[in-house]
Amino acid sequence: MGAAPSTPRLGAGGAASPGAAEQMFAALVGEKAYPISSEFWRQLLELPLTQQWPRDRVLQACHAFAQNNYHTKHLAKILIHLVWCLQECMAESSVSHAAYRKAINAAYISSIFLKFIIENAKTDNWQELSLEIDKDEKGLENFPSEQSVEYFLMRGVLNYVGSVDVSPESCYLHHELLNLMLVLMSTQLCSGPSPEPKDVHPFIDAAMLQDSSIVSSVVQKLLLNFVKRPRIPLNGSHPAFSDDGGPGVLQRVGSAAANFVLLPYYTFNYLVSSNAEGASSQLAENSLLVLLILIHYRKCIMMSESFPISNVYTNDLNTNVKDAPAFHDNPYYKALSNAKDSQYDRADVEGNAQNWLVVRLSFASLFDALGTCLKDESSVLLLYSLVHGNCDFQEYVLVRTDLDTLLMPILEMLYNASRKTSNQIYMLLIVLLILSQDSTFNASVHKLVLPSVPWYHERLMHQTSLGSLMVVILIRTIKYNLSKLRDVYLHTNCLAILANMAPHVHRLSAYASQRLVSLFDMLSRKYTKLAELKNDKAIKVISDQIEADISDDTSTELHIYTDFLRIVLEIINAILTYALPRNPEVLDFFNSRMDMQQLDGEWSVDKVLEVINKNCRSWRGEGMKMFTQLRFTYEQESHPEEFFIPYAWRVVLSRGFSFNPGAINLFPVEIHVDDEPSGEQKV
């Protein structure tokens, strides 16, 4: 892309030839500043972008754009034009193909250059974006003088996403806007893991400042996209992309969501199946990713910092300690937490005059969608956010009679824990822990009988209860953790779930009972070895600091196993004390009773269980100590943002969003030579 003529020329009749498109983009990244009212912008955005450029030329264009943007302000101008295009699409009752094309192109082109600038920025306040413009410039007469470009942009994008239904005509524009939003919010990847008051995130901060009506509509629409899973046409041929209806900007969108054809820069590297299921899930996946980033964002301030009291974003702070870090209220998380089931009466029982702002959708559909998609890490994070933050949805889950819809995918993933990340295992266990806090849930899982468990390979499991399967899988997870991860937090969560379930156990299977006893045996043997090791070291003269450190480590581990054993013993005690009449598989007490029975003929399984069931009713546990029922509850850490912001972005990156590893400060990443963009230069 060499020097551009002062006025880019189109082909005959205004048609865009390959040479004309080359000239238009050379002008966009060049030194000449085109006024926002120039005809140049209309011609650029109406191009049917069908050409492909090699990677090195795209990077060259990005470098030129970033360097010249300080003077031209072309980034701010194309973002403003994007909002105007979206307004045009919303204003028309029947949107023209040309209007869709301009909006799609504006979002697509913006994402390419924005991402490059964000990845290569050298300042903490994003001066390289150069979003300040002269609002007295011709063509900006109707631009709200009190609004910044980033606020104007986010208001326009969010308003479109929240107001316009996904249809075969609008799906490509929705797709590009969701991609753009991930790029806009990716400034978080460049900050450290702990939010600080000095952190600047212009676009996501602007999203947090939007009216509650926009916030609630966006949360509702993103959830509906996840539930309904709107289909993107497989052939990718939409008249908006080229004059003849052939492949254009989003050429091959059905086979790869990384369909950046004209500018194949490394924004998305999706490798999505070309079948209908893969294609139909792209909008749902991107909607969920955007929602997760929005709801888990936390803006840090200092209490000594001055802020406008009337600002809806700053009127709820979570600490009153002067000069201590505090966080703004997140309106998107608040909207998700207050979401209501649309199948219930819409009357506002609390008399809230702003009932129309409440997010409403079918909890039944949401429940079913989660059950279908829980193998995806993003869906697990959404489930956690709902059962932890939304009391209504948690109650809805607890009264469902088909709990296996959610629990079977969770248990299968825990069964395959070796293939999951530790964060995935954490989230799955925390969801189970939250649910196990409810006695109704604990009773229900033992009454739901599973015909079979096809993914459990160690033995055939026929007609086993969901509760028994949970016990087996949790114990399996504990043993895996002890041998591989050795994570005390994960282990404690597993035992906490078992302890919550123990008083409500009903007809625990023989296999689950055996696994519980084997867990106690394994822990006791480990405890004995540690105790012997500690005693051996205690009688030796500690000659150096290394031995002292080893001794300290042994004492710490011994203390941990002491706690583990105590909890397991209390779990067994709770089953015997509170639930024995419902659990005939507990046999030790009944050996003598069996010997006392005088029956004609040989014993059979049915006869044995008949005797045990009869004697269960007369069981008295006077010799056992009655402990207060163990009850564990989940409490979120005091600074959840330090876990959830990096975790949400790890999920985004795992789903195909690529980002220069050298620019990521949010969490540690391995940097490989191939990860660095070729011809990388300082901007």
Side-chain angles (χ1 to χ4, degrees), residues 525-535 553-554 557-559 561:
R525 283 188 282 108
K526 181 67 174 178
Y527 170 83
T528 301
K529 289 181 180 179
L530 289 171
E532 291 174 351
L533 182 62
K534 181 182 179 182
N535 291 335
D553 290 343
T554 302
E557 194 169 3
L558 182 63
H559 179 72
Y561 274 88

Side-chain angles (χ1 to χ4, degrees), residues 71-221:
H71 164 66
T72 63
K73 309 290 185 181
H74 279 180
L75 178 60
K77 293 173 183 176
I78 196 171
L79 292 176
I80 292 173
H81 273 282
L82 167 60
V83 177
W84 288 343
C85 291
L86 294 176
Q87 292 173 347
E88 180 182 351
C89 290
M90 294 179 67
E92 298 178 6
S93 56
S94 178
V95 185
S96 66
H97 298 318
Y100 275 128
R101 178 190 297 173
K102 289 192 298 181
I104 291 170
N105 287 356
Y108 163 70
I109 296 169
S110 299
S111 68
I112 298 297
F113 294 115
L114 265 166
K115 183 172 179 293
F116 179 86
I117 293 175
I118 291 172
E119 286 181 317
N120 293 277
K122 305 302 178 186
T123 60
D124 294 334
N125 58 358
W126 308 103
Q127 292 180 357
E128 292 88 346
L129 295 171
S130 297
L131 297 177
E132 303 81 10
I133 59 172
D134 180 8
K135 295 182 179 179
D136 294 328
E137 180 182 337
K138 181 182 178 182
L140 288 175
E141 294 82 6
N142 295 326
F143 187 93
S145 59
E146 74 284 358
Q147 293 183 11
S148 63
V149 171
E150 52 266 36
Y151 181 90
F152 182 71
L153 170 69
M154 295 307 291
R155 185 176 184 84
V157 171
L158 292 169
N159 194 33
Y160 185 90
V161 170
S163 302
V164 178
D165 292 333
V166 176
S167 66
E169 292 74 29
S170 68
C171 63
Y172 293 104
L173 179 52
H174 276 278
H175 180 77
E176 281 305 311
L177 291 177
L178 293 172
N179 288 350
L180 174 61
M181 285 187 66
L182 289 174
V183 172
L184 293 169
M185 298 186 293
S186 67
T187 55
Q188 294 176 82
L189 286 168
C190 302
S191 296
S194 300
E196 298 181 5
K198 65 181 179 64
D199 292 342
V200 176
H201 302 295
F203 300 106
I204 193 168
D205 283 341
M208 298 294 150
L209 291 169
Q210 302 301 322
D211 297 340
S212 57
S213 58
I214 291 181
V215 170
S216 59
S217 65
V218 167
V219 171
Q220 180 168 349
K221 189 67 66 174

Side-chain angles (χ1 to χ4, degrees), residues 425-442:
I425 300 173
Y426 288 150
M427 299 312 302
L428 294 168
L429 291 176
I430 291 172
V431 168
L432 292 180
L433 177 57
I434 293 172
L435 296 177
S436 73
Q437 294 168 189
D438 184 81
S439 58
T440 303
F441 169 85
N442 294 322

Side-chain angles (χ1 to χ4, degrees), residues 601-637:
E602 296 182 356
W603 288 102
S604 67
V605 174
D606 291 338
K607 289 180 179 179
V608 171
L609 286 177
E610 180 182 350
V611 172
I612 292 175
N613 279 318
K614 180 180 179 181
N615 284 279
C616 277
R617 303 185 188 99
S618 62
W619 160 266
R620 295 294 181 270
E622 289 85 357
M624 301 182 62
K625 182 177 179 180
M626 294 287 290
F627 291 100
T628 303
Q629 287 189 20
L630 284 178
R631 187 171 184 273
F632 291 86
T633 58
Y634 169 72
E635 291 185 6
Q636 199 174 68
E637 297 289 339

